[in-house]
Amino acid sequence: MNFLQTVNEAWNSLYSNKMRSILTTLGIVIGVAAVIAMIAIGTGAQDTILNQISGIGTNLLFIFEGNEEDSSITVSPLTMQDANAIGDVFAAPHVELVAPVIQGSGTIKFSGETKSTQIFGVTPSFQAVRNYELIEGEFISEENVNGRASVVLIGVDVAEQLFGQSENLVGETVTIDGQPFRIIGILAPKGGGQFGSQDNVVLVPITTARSRLMTREQGKVDIIYLKAISADSVPEATSEVQEILRKRHRTDLGEDDFTIYSQQDFLTLASSITNVFKIFLSGIAGISLLVGGIGIMNIMLVSVTERTKEIGLRKAIGAKKKDILIQFLTESSLLSMMGGILGIILGWIISALVGSFATTQGVAFQPQVDLGAILLATVFSTAVGLFFGIYPANKAANLEPVEALRHE
Amino acid sequence: MDKTVIKIKDITKIYKLGDIEVPALCGVTFKVKKGEVISIMGPSGSGKSTLMNIIGCLDRLTSGEYILDNEDVSNLDDDQLAQIRNQKVGFVFQNFNLLSRSTALANVELPLRYAGITENRIEMAQKALESVGLGDRIHHKPPELSGGQQQRVAIARALINNPAIILADEPTGNLDSRSGDEIMELLLGLNKDYGTTLIIVTHDPKIAARTARTIQIFDGLIKESKS
């Protein structure tokens, strides 16, 4: 039989039961829309996170204390002396800059307005290592660090909250955890990041942070940021730092009591996490597609029972098993394919809505509807229709013509 | 060329209901010549429907031999039987059995599609509808036609593949007497004009009286009478 005619006949049959066909299709529409939207959102989230990590700088290294693979070892903390040792050009020629940091959180106030914020105790090299730019003022200087000066650089979020503006604030005095600090500069906006907003921060000299804001053992630091001289020299820089720290922590025989991450490690970690996230989301969406398929099977079974007499007649005038099988399979795949197409459109709309919502929230996040997902959804939804159509169609094809004709 | 269209020899049909065997036909033998008009009569439960189903190749016989249009159809599989029905048998049912969503033309065309014919189907179907006097109704759907007109569509569908026999099961059963008469006229006219072999299953003696030959069936056995 002619293919177009078969499709046309299937369409007529579905059209004559409009409401039922629409409701059946809805199951597939929702399933496919969910798959499309989830993959798009997952891909968008992945892109955003990976871009932000790349944005940190490809030659950045982080040193934390402790060993994440073995928590039983005794850990001697990272110290300022460690940072100075790593900064030695002769011992670590591939390390360009070292920025020891202690970090915590606190409340910053200005005439009644308050904001909870992250506090970083830093040295002058922090600016270059983390690529901070200033709207106005100056960064923390060596003198500030040596003199434990009560000076602070504030992020734009903090400035907006406290002053309602982010300019002409140098020289104002704010209080952090009850202690007065003079503003010496405003940090330029960096946007959201995977570790929270990078604009809701304040930077103070590391010495001031230790003596006034956070309790730390003498000389201890939380993280040491490093900048390798280039992206290619990250492995050399890593091994130089390992050697220095093993020597200093006397761990050359045992396990390391520190961990070095490169930006590459974060990228790998983040992309494997987001991949799991993506598979998880599309798995859930896939379940709804399966439920939609069962809906199709259900309706096709009802349809076969209803049309038993028609099937009997078709067989009486010469329809073979194959003809009946094709007729019903065409109907079920047409149902699911239309559901698939509508689902793709709906999924696309949902992704776009999520994207524009994220934009209004100031998150740079764009869901990615890619061709692969669309192809997958089309093929998969049609396959669902075929698969769940097989049982009812087979039932129809195997009806005895005499029995079927007698059916009322 | 043998002039016999139907040669049925000693056929039996036994239904199995669980462990019990119910015989519906107990050794039926008869022949139908090309161009004959016969009626099959019998009370319900006599095996009339069973015989009709076997003649129409809708059902298989338990034993015996059935030769239809020089072809042994006693032991064919489902798809072969479907092809025989398509090529050699034209069915006319009591309740018309048209596809209500399709036009008269599409209904008549359907057997051609199952026959795998791809060309001139529309023209052939149109001609068949014209021959039953429905040339001006080809795009109507069955619900838009009267009972008599629907039965004419069914007859056109039965004719389309030029079958060896037309098997009509109570063709006037659902019609008022006037349309019933018209349908009988049409069927008998087809026989007269084209020599179509006609087998009419009926319980109406008035219909049977209009056929040259009547086969009576009681308890799975036949008794012939000529009128």
Side-chain angles (χ1 to χ4, degrees):
Chain A
M1 274 217 288
N2 185 313
F3 174 72
L4 270 182
Q5 204 146 15
T6 311
V7 171
N8 187 36
E9 202 167 275
W11 169 261
N12 283 337
S13 156
L14 296 176
Y15 189 78
S16 68
N17 263 315
K18 241 175 291 172
M19 197 59 191
R20 182 204 279 182
S21 302
I22 289 169
L23 289 176
T24 311
T25 308
L26 205 56
I28 296 290
V29 172
I30 292 169
V32 170
V35 170
I36 293 277
M38 290 305 162
I39 293 179
I41 290 167
T43 312
Q46 190 166 34
D47 286 359
T48 306
I49 291 170
L50 297 186
N51 273 336
Q52 277 172 353
I53 294 175
S54 307
I56 294 168
T58 46
N59 49 359
L60 198 58
L61 291 163
F62 311 78
I63 310 169
F64 298 93
E65 67 174 39
N67 185 320
E68 63 170 15
E69 281 157 21
D70 185 358
S71 53
S72 64
I73 56 162
T74 329
V75 173
S76 43
L78 296 170
T79 61
M80 287 299 284
Q81 287 73 32
D82 289 334
N84 290 336
I86 295 162
D88 180 350
V89 196
F90 299 104
H94 291 92
V95 175
E96 186 188 337
L97 284 166
V98 184
V101 168
I102 61 176
Q103 62 181 48
S105 59
T107 310
I108 178 166
K109 284 188 188 169
F110 176 79
S111 71
E113 296 288 339
T114 65
K115 183 154 180 76
S116 299
T117 182
Q118 277 188 292
I119 302 168
F120 288 91
V122 301
T123 57
S125 53
F126 191 71
Q127 180 179 20
V129 170
R130 293 301 311 275
N131 300 321
Y132 269 111
E133 295 195 9
L134 302 182
I135 294 177
E136 60 175 7
E138 283 171 1
F139 206 79
I140 292 161
S141 67
E142 208 62 61
E143 289 74 44
N144 293 147
V145 174
N146 291 337
R148 296 182 189 176
S150 293
V151 293
V152 64
L153 284 127
I154 62 176
V156 281
D157 283 3
V158 178
E160 290 291 342
Q161 172 79 22
L162 297 186
F163 299 97
Q165 64 192 65
S166 52
E167 279 172 71
N168 300 323
L169 300 175
V170 171
E172 296 286 350
T173 302
V174 294
T175 58
I176 303 173
D177 291 350
Q179 311 210 35
F181 281 79
R182 183 170 54 87
I183 295 174
I184 56 167
I186 311 294
L187 301 168
K190 276 192 157 218
Q194 70 282 13
F195 310 120
S197 171
Q198 297 190 63
D199 296 325
N200 182 16
V201 294
V202 302
L203 308 182
V204 296
I206 190 167
T207 47
T208 319
R210 181 178 292 118
S211 58
R212 298 214 182 160
L213 299 173
M214 295 165 225
T215 332
R216 292 284 186 280
E217 284 169 44
Q218 186 58 38
K220 181 187 177 302
V221 299
D222 296 336
I223 308 176
I224 300 173
Y225 289 83
L226 298 182
K227 197 172 180 183
I229 51 173
S230 72
D232 295 336
S233 58
V234 166
E236 287 91 341
T238 306
S239 60
E240 287 163 10
V241 170
Q242 272 170 341
E243 201 171 317
I244 294 165
L245 286 181
R246 279 176 191 155
K247 215 171 270 170
R248 291 184 54 83
H249 290 199
R250 301 194 173 83
T251 56
D252 27 343
L253 295 174
E255 297 281 339
D256 288 349
D257 64 350
F258 56 88
T259 307
I260 304 172
Y261 284 115
S262 67
Q263 187 258 4
Q264 196 56 46
D265 293 331
F266 277 118
L267 267 184
T268 314
L269 184 68
S271 83
S272 72
I273 290 171
T274 50
N275 270 334
V276 170
F277 176 69
K278 228 162 89 176
I279 292 166
F280 171 72
L281 285 180
S282 15
I284 289 178
I287 289 171
S288 60
L289 197 52
L290 191 75
V291 173
I294 292 169
I296 286 193
M297 176 152 72
N298 190 16
I299 281 305
M300 291 311 292
L301 279 175
V302 171
S303 174
V304 167
T305 309
E306 271 184 358
R307 287 152 68 191
T308 301
K309 193 147 196 181
E310 176 194 323
I311 296 161
L313 168 81
R314 286 176 183 271
K315 288 197 150 192
I317 61 172
K320 294 181 180 151
K321 278 186 183 174
K322 184 192 69 187
D323 297 319
I324 303 291
L325 202 66
I326 288 173
Q327 181 191 344
F328 279 88
L329 284 181
T330 309
E331 276 184 37
S332 61
S333 1
L334 196 62
L335 263 185
S336 61
M337 205 177 71
M338 286 189 307
I341 292 168
L342 291 177
I344 287 167
I345 296 169
L346 184 65
W348 206 315
I349 293 171
I350 291 173
S351 310
L353 285 179
V354 169
S356 64
F357 180 72
T359 310
T360 59
Q361 296 296 301
V363 186
F365 163 57
Q366 203 50 53
Q368 303 286 326
V369 180
D370 60 1
L371 196 66
I374 289 174
L375 272 176
L376 186 80
T378 315
V379 170
F380 196 62
S381 66
T382 312
V384 160
L386 268 177
F387 179 76
F388 286 103
I390 284 173
Y391 175 63
N394 209 38
K395 203 179 156 186
N398 284 320
L399 284 174
E400 284 296 330
V402 179
E403 300 290 326
L405 273 173
R406 204 182 293 149
H407 189 269
E408 284 305 327
Chain B
M1 189 84 167
D2 196 347
K3 283 282 178 112
T4 308
V5 173
I6 291 176
K7 201 159 108 190
I8 280 177
K9 202 175 150 195
D10 206 24
I11 59 165
T12 65
K13 175 71 185 178
I14 296 166
Y15 290 108
K16 279 191 180 146
L17 298 171
D19 290 339
I20 313 161
E21 296 194 336
V22 183
L25 295 176
C26 322
V28 170
T29 303
F30 68 93
K31 285 182 183 177
V32 177
K33 286 204 213 67
K34 202 176 172 75
E36 258 193 303
V37 180
I38 72 164
S39 53
I40 297 176
M41 285 193 78
S44 51
S46 60
K48 185 179 57 175
S49 300
T50 307
L51 181 59
M52 184 197 74
N53 289 337
I54 284 178
I55 293 173
C57 296
L58 287 164
D59 210 349
R60 285 202 190 75
L61 33 88
T62 308
S63 71
E65 190 185 48
Y66 176 18
I67 290 167
L68 172 63
D69 199 23
N70 299 319
E71 198 162 336
D72 189 348
V73 295
S74 318
N75 296 302
L76 297 180
D77 69 21
D78 287 351
D79 282 350
Q80 286 167 324
L81 281 178
Q83 193 168 351
I84 294 287
R85 289 194 295 269
N86 182 256
Q87 298 297 319
K88 298 192 188 293
V89 185
F91 288 94
V92 178
F93 299 94
Q94 177 173 1
N95 48 14
F96 323 134
N97 270 337
L98 298 172
L99 301 183
S100 56
R101 291 186 303 268
S102 306
T103 61
L105 197 65
N107 266 289
V108 174
E109 189 199 1
L110 199 56
L112 293 177
R113 285 170 52 193
Y114 289 132
I117 292 168
T118 49
E119 280 173 21
N120 299 327
R121 286 201 308 239
I122 305 274
E123 290 78 1
M124 287 165 80
Q126 195 163 356
K127 231 187 211 164
L129 279 166
E130 277 162 13
S131 74
V132 298
L134 282 180
D136 55 341
R137 293 276 193 281
I138 58 170
H139 294 302
H140 288 60
K141 291 179 180 173
E144 300 156 11
L145 298 170
S146 72
Q149 287 169 332
Q150 288 187 52
Q151 194 63 299
R152 282 164 191 271
V153 176
I155 292 170
R157 184 181 62 192
L159 286 172
I160 190 99
N161 267 344
N162 253 325
I165 56 169
I166 285 195
L167 186 61
D169 178 18
E170 302 278 10
T172 61
N174 273 11
L175 300 174
D176 61 73
S177 59
R178 220 186 100 226
S179 339
D181 276 347
E182 283 171 13
I183 291 300
M184 277 310 291
E185 290 300 327
L186 177 63
L187 287 171
L188 294 172
L190 290 170
N191 171 258
K192 203 176 288 170
D193 298 345
Y194 307 107
T196 316
T197 310
L198 203 57
I199 298 167
I200 301 172
V201 179
T202 184
H203 66 275
D204 185 351
K206 272 185 273 176
I207 303 274
R210 299 180 71 168
T211 63
R213 187 180 156 202
T214 301
I215 291 174
Q216 302 269 1
I217 180 158
F218 296 104
D219 296 333
L221 292 166
I222 63 167
K223 193 180 92 184
E224 267 205 58
S225 63
K226 296 213 168 164
S227 55

